[in-house]
Amino acid sequence: MRNSGVELRTRKAQLGRVLASRAAIDQARGMVMALAPCSSDRAWDLLVDVSSQHCNTKLRDVAAALVATMTDEALPEPIQRELRRALRRLHEADPR
């Protein structure tokens, strides 16, 4: 029976991390939508592209770094560079 308590605490901690990651991803998605401007789906695709295809960084980490810029933290240079490139590609594909 003691294992079930440990498992429950472990699952609760995991759920807390997932929810925190999801909140940061949603906030970052909104930031991209404001920067681009673009749809929610396009913002998601852009973040995934920047994180996995170009920075080899987890999406949640890219999102957290982007959200942290709202509190005057600098965006790491590799993420900044790839985000700029991704936004440029988005604008070139869909000029308004």
Side-chain angles (χ1 to χ4, degrees):
M1 279 293 163
R2 279 176 44 206
N3 274 350
S4 64
V6 171
E7 288 175 25
L8 184 59
R9 283 191 294 278
T10 300
R11 287 181 185 256
K12 183 178 176 183
Q14 288 171 339
L15 180 59
R17 287 190 297 273
V18 167
L19 291 174
S21 293
R22 186 64 194 183
I25 291 168
D26 287 343
Q27 288 174 329
R29 198 180 207 177
M31 292 171 73
V32 170
M33 290 169 64
L35 287 170
C38 64
S39 70
S40 179
D41 288 341
R42 272 229 155 123
W44 172 266
D45 291 343
L46 186 141
L47 287 170
V48 167
D49 186 53
V50 167
S51 64
S52 63
Q53 301 299 320
H54 297 284
C55 289
N56 198 28
T57 305
K58 292 186 182 295
L59 175 60
R60 68 175 178 250
D61 296 336
V62 169
L66 187 56
V67 171
T69 64
M70 298 304 291
T71 57
D72 293 329
E73 287 191 38
L75 192 61
E77 202 282 322
I79 296 173
Q80 186 180 81
R81 181 183 59 244
E82 293 306 329
L83 181 60
R84 199 174 340 176
R85 287 177 180 167
L87 287 168
R88 191 174 318 120
R89 285 190 303 270
L90 181 66
H91 284 293
E92 289 170 355
D94 189 20
R96 293 181 187 228

